[in-house]
Amino acid sequence: MTSDDLRDSILHHLKYSLGKDADHAMIYDWRMALSLAVRDRITDPWFAATRKAYDDKHKRVYYLSMEFLIGRLLQDAIVNLGLLDTAQATFADIGVPLEHVIADEPDAALGNGGLGRLAACFIESLSSLSVPAMGYGIRYEHGLFRQSFHEGRQMEAPEDWLTQTHAWEFERPEAAFDIGFGGQVTEKGGRSVWEPADGLIAQAYDTPIIGWQGRWANTLRLWSAKPRKIFDLDRFNSGDYIAASAPETLARTISRVLYPDDTTPQGKELRLKQEFFFTAASLRDVLRRFDSEYNDLRQLPDKVAIQLNDTHPAIAGPELVRLLHDERGMDMDEAIVTARGCLAYTNHTLLPEALERWPVDLMTSLLPRHMQIIERIDAQHAAQKPDRKANAVEDGEVKMGELAFIMGHKVNGVSALHTELMKQTVFAELHRLHPDRIVNQTNGVTPRRWLLGANPRLSHLITDTIGDGWVGDLERLSGLEEHLDDAGFLDRYAAAKRANKTDLVDWMRSTHDIDLDPDAMFDVHIKRIHEYKRQHLNILEAIALWQEIRDDPNGDWTPRVKLFAGKAAPGYFFAKDIIHLINDVSVILNSDPVTSKYLKVVFLPNYNVTLAERLIPASDLSEQISTAGKEASGTGNMKFALNGAPTMGTLDGANVEIREHVGAENFFLFGMTAPEVDARRAIEDHAAKAIAADPRLARALDAVRGDVFSLGDAGRHAGIADNLSGHDYFCVCSDFSDYWRAQREADAVYADRAAWVQMAARNTARCGWFSSDRSMRGYLADIWHAVPALAAE
Ligand code: F58
């Protein structure tokens, strides 16, 4: 496509789709017109892919996920279609900067964090690998809340990405299913029939996801809830306007907001409804497609692979059994085996409080037939494994992890360590009964978005050095290895990083009125705020460093900027206290005339995919400091390493594998291992002992407790100090001294800029394995037993 062709297409859409002429077009109009022009380019490969999947009778992969944290789509699509230079030329001609057009797109925040972003990377990789696949999720009207700060405290406001037309989706009024809830089960002619008391319509919206080089496109199908009856005219006519629209309001609630956590009791019922709503609609869609191609349901596991992204869609087990048995007449035991042949489950957490459990009462009232089937599944499992100790239904609760395990033919962990810990802890008994079921598939990230799109400077350098094959085959980054002693290459590498940092500094100045020194080390900690991720360990270290610099202002300090970003779940008060503390510390430190040239702390509000794309390429050091054994994998850790920010990290999640790949000498390791953490926690007063052994830590905690950062509000941060010097479940205090040591090691390496650049470049050269293309190939071979539709190029 030439620049002229693209311009014609944009002008066509401007006029005929948007009703605007070029002279009056606003940035929104240009963005929509460009998106529609680009979408046109996706449509043909998308149709061709769909046709080929049917013609060749391919096995299809269905990825069921409550979250798809896709962020912006325009730049991704332009990059994957190879249209970046063309689009740049076109907009230079039009006289509007392409970056402004791209930046106008709202960030689709249909996820909380890593789990949702992983789904988005996977769906892009499946398209890039030409695997016939479909992502199924919920079209939330409001994604993850918008975060701002008021006097350092987190404020939440609704997110509104759908206020403007979503350029990428196609509404599918014909693809709709009636989803029931409640009611009862009756026996009719020896069969169980579920008669729901109420229900609603799940209507599909399709977004094509184009793969690298535009060879294949898959569909992300998101369900929106609509009422069965749009409007109660009788009530309206009698003047009761609110009641007249009640059916719509009630139905829409189901797809209205993304849950920021799964702990609020009042939200539990709604969350279970959301889970059933999208899972049931997706399964019906899967069976409808299967029916259009095949007529023997026993073939289902050969043609259909359904991946459950965490337990959120775990109701798929009983629902598929119900569809096969109750609605299609398959024998119950065979239905269970057939469903299991299709289903597999990915576990993303070992934290007991994050493993879903539903009260039996709630399940019975909302999904009475499913509750019966769950009991049947449990009984069948018990009959097959009489020596088992635990059931999926226990103590009045349905344990969704156990249910997903029993109903999946494979269960995967998301890093090597996490997989081993799954075997030893949460699923120890089930693993003993089914020793072949648990497999490891370490996460990955798409190089198209996280390197090519986010870091054009580094990407150009890589392509200049080893050619462009790395974009579709990231392991080719190892070709950089032979340039790692080449001064010319390293200079260019350093220049790319420096320019990215300067861009970030300019952006911070213009948007946040903060001045930063681009030569300082940019030390970055961005992710959901959680005690196990230990943002409070990082800020304690900042406090201790600040105190030390004040003691010796003429010392040889390596200048640092500590950047934080991340959201705390609205009901997670301790996490919100951590945000508050970091913001207050930044007020004191950044205004300190003595120390601020060496140390600054910045907490950027409203972390999202777009902000990550901006920060990661400009980072020097990646903070991955979770308590060992708690972070299932991490994916941010991979993005940083790939972009040349070495890790400051514990032996947790995929950090372990990153360290193996980049080499121990290119990774700042500190802290206890997972077994050491368990042993340490068993010691009474472990925190007090750690504090007594490290005067720096004691002094930093004293400052927190002693209102140094309380900004006149006495006792403001005492809760954090008390928690840490008290039970300190996440062992912040016990890891502090070693963290301090590793940080000073990082300072020393950074002070020798040549050594640092080489370490950064080694990280890039050795992280090719962390592509989500590699993850997807692993799932294809070990779980889905499916293959790409096109031969690799
Ligand atoms: C994350 N989980 C893990 N959960 O924490 C991370 O280690 C891993 O890399 C990632 O999954 C992908 O495997 C995660 O993001 C959530 O966001 C929850 C979803 C349900 C509500 C509470 C948060």
Side-chain angles (χ1 to χ4, degrees):
M1 185 183 221
T2 67
S3 163
D4 283 349
D5 294 337
L6 182 60
R7 196 197 50 226
D8 290 350
S9 179
I10 292 168
L11 293 176
H12 175 90
H13 279 296
L14 198 60
K15 185 169 174 188
Y16 295 105
S17 306
L18 297 155
K20 275 279 170 92
D21 67 54
D23 290 343
H24 298 99
M26 315 285 279
I27 200 81
Y28 166 79
D29 304 307
W30 288 118
R31 196 251 301 166
M32 288 297 288
L34 173 61
S35 302
L36 294 172
V38 170
R39 197 180 74 170
D40 287 351
R41 310 291 303 172
I42 295 177
T43 307
D44 287 327
W46 187 31
F47 285 6
T50 308
R51 238 184 344 261
K52 186 158 176 60
Y54 274 100
D55 290 349
D56 296 356
K57 297 213 167 304
H58 264 283
K59 182 167 187 177
R60 287 195 182 77
V61 170
Y62 296 103
Y63 198 82
L64 268 60
S65 178
M66 278 280 268
E67 306 189 5
F68 283 91
L69 188 40
I70 50 183
R72 290 175 177 159
L73 293 180
L74 178 54
Q75 170 160 313
D76 238 27
I78 292 176
V79 163
N80 276 0
L81 289 167
L83 286 176
L84 193 56
D85 293 341
T86 313
Q88 229 124 29
T90 309
F91 275 91
D93 198 28
I94 291 171
V96 177
L98 179 65
E99 313 85 77
H100 293 185
V101 177
I102 286 173
D104 181 66
E105 184 175 0
D107 206 290
L110 311 184
N112 280 289
L115 173 154
R117 183 53 233 175
L118 186 76
C121 282
F122 280 2
I123 202 81
E124 193 273 350
S125 272
L126 286 168
S127 291
S128 291
L129 294 173
S130 76
V131 175
M134 196 140 177
Y136 279 117
I138 299 179
R139 183 178 179 271
Y140 301 104
E141 277 175 54
H142 303 286
L144 189 60
F145 67 89
R146 222 178 268 270
Q147 179 199 52
S148 61
F149 299 133
H150 178 68
E151 294 175 353
R153 286 193 173 84
Q154 170 173 294
M155 299 287 130
E156 299 114 28
E159 188 282 338
D160 59 358
W161 73 297
L162 280 180
T163 308
Q164 297 176 342
T165 308
H166 181 41
W168 300 101
E169 69 184 6
F170 293 89
E171 186 174 358
R172 303 289 192 213
E174 79 290 1
F177 296 97
D178 193 299
I179 308 296
F181 291 104
Q184 57 229 326
V185 182
T186 53
E187 298 296 319
K188 284 194 186 136
R191 289 177 55 197
S192 302
V193 178
W194 176 29
E195 288 162 348
D198 31 52
L200 42 80
I201 306 295
Q203 193 202 306
Y205 286 77
D206 288 348
T207 299
I209 304 290
I210 187 79
W212 173 232
Q213 291 178 321
R215 297 173 75 221
W216 189 269
N218 284 317
T219 305
L220 174 59
R221 174 161 280 194
L222 301 181
W223 300 104
S224 180
K226 314 263 158 150
R228 281 175 173 164
K229 181 175 172 185
I230 193 85
F231 192 60
D232 192 328
L233 190 58
D234 291 341
R235 281 181 165 163
F236 187 87
N237 286 339
S238 69
D240 194 349
Y241 305 127
I242 293 179
S245 45
E248 198 199 353
T249 313
L250 251 166
R252 277 180 52 191
T253 308
I254 299 288
S255 55
R256 177 109 47 192
V257 267
L258 166 80
Y259 263 86
D261 61 35
D262 36 23
T263 50
T264 39
Q266 67 274 35
K268 273 204 169 250
E269 178 177 335
L270 184 54
R271 188 171 166 97
L272 180 56
K273 277 187 169 174
Q274 287 185 326
E275 296 184 354
F276 180 67
F277 162 77
F278 99 93
T279 304
S282 307
L283 290 180
R284 256 163 260 192
D285 204 35
V286 169
L287 287 188
R288 180 196 54 74
R289 194 168 299 108
F290 179 86
D291 286 340
S292 73
E293 294 182 87
Y294 311 99
N295 45 33
D296 182 357
L297 280 170
R298 285 169 305 183
Q299 268 185 293
L300 205 60
D302 299 330
K303 296 295 170 192
V304 165
I306 300 170
Q307 192 66 30
L308 308 178
N309 196 27
D310 217 285
T311 54
H312 316 145
I315 197 70
E319 172 66 355
L320 188 50
V321 171
R322 191 188 70 81
L323 292 170
L324 294 175
H325 174 72
D326 292 4
E327 297 203 352
R328 310 289 183 106
M330 191 185 264
D331 164 75
M332 177 63 97
D333 285 347
E334 192 180 7
I336 295 177
V337 171
T338 305
R340 183 177 297 125
C342 301
L343 297 168
Y345 153 55
T346 305
N347 172 282
H348 297 269
T349 184
L350 304 173
L351 298 183
E353 69 272 21
L355 287 167
E356 289 187 302
R357 289 159 178 258
W358 298 111
V360 168
D361 292 349
L362 175 62
M363 190 68 99
T364 307
S365 73
L366 221 53
L367 301 169
R369 179 59 183 147
H370 298 78
M371 194 58 230
Q372 292 177 345
I373 293 174
I374 291 168
E375 274 159 358
R376 178 68 189 262
I377 290 169
D378 235 1
Q380 196 215 50
H381 187 249
Q384 286 166 356
K385 306 282 174 187
D387 63 332
R388 98 245 162 268
K389 293 198 193 70
N391 283 332
V393 183
E394 222 173 49
D395 302 330
E397 287 182 323
V398 184
K399 299 191 282 180
M400 299 308 268
E402 275 73 0
L403 179 63
F405 193 113
I406 294 172
M407 282 309 297
H409 67 283
K410 284 284 181 279
V411 176
N412 77 289
V414 289
S415 71
L417 174 67
H418 167 242
T419 307
E420 285 316 304
L421 293 174
M422 264 168 72
K423 291 179 184 172
Q424 292 163 21
T425 60
V426 280
F427 294 131
E429 133 115 320
L430 284 167
H431 173 58
R432 179 180 63 76
L433 301 173
H434 306 278
D436 298 330
R437 199 161 289 184
I438 296 185
V439 294
N440 170 224
Q441 296 299 337
T442 297
N443 288 341
V445 301
T446 167
R448 272 72 63 181
R449 181 179 289 250
W450 294 108
L451 189 48
L452 185 62
N455 198 344
R457 293 189 179 96
L458 180 54
S459 299
H460 283 147
L461 171 59
I462 296 171
T463 297
D464 276 359
T465 312
I466 59 168
D468 63 5
W470 61 272
V471 183
D473 178 7
L474 200 64
E475 305 237 21
R476 290 204 205 168
L477 288 181
S478 63
L480 295 173
E481 198 76 37
E482 62 188 81
H483 301 272
L484 295 177
D485 290 313
D486 167 355
F489 172 79
L490 292 172
D491 282 351
R492 290 180 68 196
Y493 192 99
K497 178 67 79 183
R498 165 80 204 204
N500 291 342
K501 290 174 73 177
T502 311
D503 278 357
L504 180 64
V505 168
D506 292 345
W507 177 79
M508 298 266 261
R509 190 179 301 119
S510 63
T511 57
H512 291 88
D513 198 22
I514 300 167
D515 241 320
L516 299 177
D517 168 11
D519 288 319
M521 180 203 292
F522 284 11
D523 167 356
V524 182
H525 201 168
I526 51 176
K527 49 183 81 241
R528 286 181 297 133
I529 309 298
H530 203 292
E531 284 163 277
Y532 84 76
K533 295 176 187 280
R534 299 200 295 192
Q535 283 90 356
H536 45 353
L537 172 59
N538 190 347
I539 200 66
L540 267 186
E541 192 265 339
I543 294 169
L545 180 59
W546 170 68
Q547 292 172 325
E548 209 124 314
I549 300 174
R550 280 169 70 100
D551 290 345
D552 179 13
N554 300 315
D556 187 16
W557 303 106
T558 299
R560 261 198 208 231
V561 176
K562 279 189 181 267
L563 285 159
F564 293 85
K567 295 177 182 175
Y572 188 175
F573 298 106
F574 195 79
K576 293 168 100 169
D577 288 346
I578 294 175
I579 294 179
H580 196 192
L581 174 64
I582 297 172
N583 275 325
D584 283 354
V585 169
S586 85
V587 170
I588 301 295
L589 269 59
N590 297 357
S591 60
D592 186 320
V594 177
T595 63
S596 62
K597 57 180 176 294
Y598 296 120
L599 180 61
K600 278 196 175 149
V601 171
V602 177
F603 200 132
L604 289 166
N606 205 34
Y607 182 51
N608 58 17
V609 174
T610 301
L611 186 56
E613 288 169 3
R614 189 186 291 282
L615 289 174
I616 292 170
S619 300
D620 293 309
L621 187 67
S622 157
E623 295 280 350
Q624 308 299 336
I625 62 174
S626 50
T627 314
K630 298 293 177 199
E631 188 69 88
S633 164
T635 44
N637 47 3
M638 302 169 187
K639 295 164 195 166
F640 279 104
L642 200 55
N643 281 278
T647 308
M648 166 68 59
T650 48
L651 282 180
D652 201 14
N655 290 356
V656 176
E657 288 149 271
I658 291 176
R659 183 164 171 267
E660 278 162 14
H661 277 84
V662 304
E665 68 289 3
N666 301 301
F667 185 109
F668 298 100
L669 177 69
F670 77 96
M672 294 176 284
T673 61
E676 285 167 355
V677 168
D678 289 340
R680 179 80 192 171
R681 207 179 274 133
I683 300 174
E684 218 186 315
D685 293 346
H686 58 90
K689 288 197 166 77
I691 297 166
D694 188 336
R696 260 189 212 107
L697 170 61
R699 189 176 173 208
L701 278 170
D702 281 350
V704 174
R705 189 179 284 106
D707 292 323
V708 174
F709 310 104
S710 298
L711 306 180
D713 175 18
R716 184 183 269 195
H717 300 299
I720 294 185
D722 291 347
N723 177 297
L724 293 182
S725 44
H727 80 303
D728 187 20
Y729 181 79
F730 294 98
C731 294
V732 169
C733 293
S734 297
D735 268 344
F736 181 88
S737 309
D738 205 29
Y739 182 53
W740 173 274
R741 175 203 52 77
Q743 289 286 22
R744 303 293 75 77
E745 221 173 82
D747 280 344
V749 181
Y750 192 78
D752 174 357
R753 216 47 66 85
W756 187 271
V757 174
Q758 201 169 43
M759 188 188 277
R762 282 202 195 113
N763 269 265
T764 301
R766 297 176 184 175
C767 276
W769 190 78
F770 294 97
S771 167
S772 44
D773 299 348
R774 184 267 314 147
S775 304
M776 289 294 83
R777 286 203 184 88
Y779 280 73
L780 285 170
D782 302 341
I783 302 177
W784 300 331
H785 309 298
V787 290
L790 304 175
E793 274 199 338

